[in-house]
Amino acid sequence: MSSSSSASCNVSGSSNSSESMKDLYPLWKFVVKGDKISGGGGNYNWKCNFCGEVKNGSYTRVKAHLLGEQGKGIQTCNKVKIDDLAKLRSLHRESEDYKKSLLPKVPPFSNEPISSHTSTEATSMRLGSFDNVKKRKSKNTISDAFNVKSRDHLDSEIARMFYTGGLPFNLARNPYYVSSYTMAANSNLSGYKPPGYNKLRTTLLCKETENVDRLLQPMKATWKTKGVSIVSDGWSDPQRRPLINIMIASETGPMFMKAIDCSGEIKDKDFIATLLSEVIDEIGDQNVVQIITDNASNCKAAGELYMMNVIG
């Protein structure tokens, strides 16, 4: 270690002299600064004047050792008294303030246009001062830009709707499920609330029935020229109600017409014959080519009874 003179362990009061204020690294005074470490940048061998331990490193480690800063890769000094520590910190603050005073001051930005008479030199000096200012890091991260948290929260709300309502996951493949949320996201509908229970089963249901009828009109228009087949089949719904489905098959494709609830009815030949007769009248007997049912005995008998009534 070189013969650099050591500073006294007695820390004097914070000096207000210009010499003290201009000392950018005042804590070097409280260690014995030794040889510079080869290839180590600003690293030196040094000995603490308080604890007498030999260390190595830059001024940052000297400061951490003397001021008791943790996590700097060096053990803090346990021999610095409280009064001395306060004075060391005061010296450090004074040096930091002095460093800040040396930084170039940036003139306030003005919205006024630069006069054409302003000299090129003055303009370049002003613009050059802005080059020395570090650009602020944008606070808007990619996550904020795409509202990732809001999107995740909305996903969770939609998922809970499926889980608590017992909805089938296959509903997520319904194109109207996707388009409804897409429309809500891309429209300015502040304060919008989805339709409630009563509106879904009354007003909106009637409105959609009218819409479906309107969409089926082109198909129905072909029945007079091409004819149709009436297809009937019985089944039970999830509530175990006995239903009879009526479907229409034509050249333009099949169409569901209606389902008739037969609860409390006896599905004998008379009941089925009456039912088929009403359907034929609704479609128009001139448009019916054939009637297709299952081969149950009551259906066969209903067909024969209807033909007898027509012929008779």
Side-chain angles (χ1 to χ4, degrees), residues 4-251:
S4 300
S5 60
S6 67
S8 171
C9 291
N10 181 27
V11 180
S12 60
S14 177
S15 173
N16 292 325
S17 67
S18 59
E19 185 66 28
S20 173
M21 288 297 293
K22 290 181 180 180
D23 191 348
L24 300 180
Y25 306 101
L27 301 185
W28 276 124
K29 295 179 181 179
F30 304 99
V31 300
V32 178
K33 193 174 181 180
D35 298 329
K36 187 173 183 178
I37 299 175
S38 177
N43 294 325
Y44 292 84
N45 290 313
W46 46 271
K47 180 180 178 181
C48 178
N49 288 348
F50 291 93
C51 63
E53 295 184 9
V54 178
K55 306 286 185 181
N56 64 74
S58 64
Y59 181 76
T60 301
R61 288 197 172 187
V62 173
K63 177 171 68 72
H65 177 71
L66 295 176
L67 301 185
E69 296 178 353
Q70 302 288 339
K72 300 294 184 179
I74 191 170
Q75 185 179 2
T76 59
C77 183
N78 57 4
K79 298 295 184 180
V80 179
K81 297 179 181 179
I82 296 177
D83 293 340
D84 291 339
L85 180 60
K87 295 173 182 177
L88 290 171
R89 288 178 176 174
S90 178
L91 288 174
H92 173 65
R93 283 195 301 270
E94 290 176 359
S95 67
E96 291 297 306
D97 292 341
Y98 182 65
K99 290 176 186 177
K100 292 178 182 178
S101 69
L102 298 178
L103 295 175
K105 295 183 179 179
V106 180
F109 182 78
S110 174
N111 290 326
E112 297 179 1
I114 299 176
S115 172
S116 59
H117 300 289
T118 305
S119 65
T120 305
E121 181 180 357
T123 304
S124 61
M125 287 177 62
R126 181 170 182 176
L127 295 177
S129 64
F130 283 98
D131 293 337
N132 296 326
V133 182
K134 293 182 178 179
K135 294 181 178 179
R136 286 191 197 170
K137 290 184 178 179
S138 174
K139 294 182 180 180
N140 295 328
T141 62
I142 294 178
S143 177
D144 294 335
F146 288 94
N147 295 324
V148 173
K149 290 184 178 179
S150 298
R151 291 169 183 265
D152 289 344
H153 181 68
L154 180 58
D155 284 347
S156 298
E157 290 292 317
I158 295 172
R160 292 188 189 104
M161 175 182 68
F162 275 81
Y163 306 150
T164 58
L167 301 177
F169 297 143
N170 194 51
L171 176 62
R173 296 176 179 173
N174 189 308
Y176 294 105
Y177 164 80
V178 177
S179 62
S180 62
Y181 282 97
T182 302
M183 181 179 178
N186 296 330
S187 303
N188 184 17
L189 301 173
S190 179
Y192 171 79
K193 291 184 178 180
Y197 173 81
N198 287 326
K199 191 173 183 180
L200 282 171
R201 62 192 292 267
T202 56
T203 308
L204 291 177
L205 181 59
C206 293
K207 185 177 179 180
E208 186 60 24
T209 300
E210 295 174 358
N211 179 56
V212 172
D213 288 340
R214 185 169 56 254
L215 295 175
L216 292 176
Q217 286 305 317
M219 181 182 293
K220 292 181 178 180
T222 64
W223 292 355
K224 293 182 179 180
T225 57
K226 301 294 184 179
V228 300
S229 296
I230 298 176
V231 182
S232 173
D233 187 26
W235 70 297
S236 297
D237 68 359
Q239 285 76 38
R240 308 300 298 171
R241 291 177 299 184
L243 302 177
I244 294 180
N245 288 337
I246 304 296
M247 293 158 285
I248 308 299
S250 66
E251 186 180 61

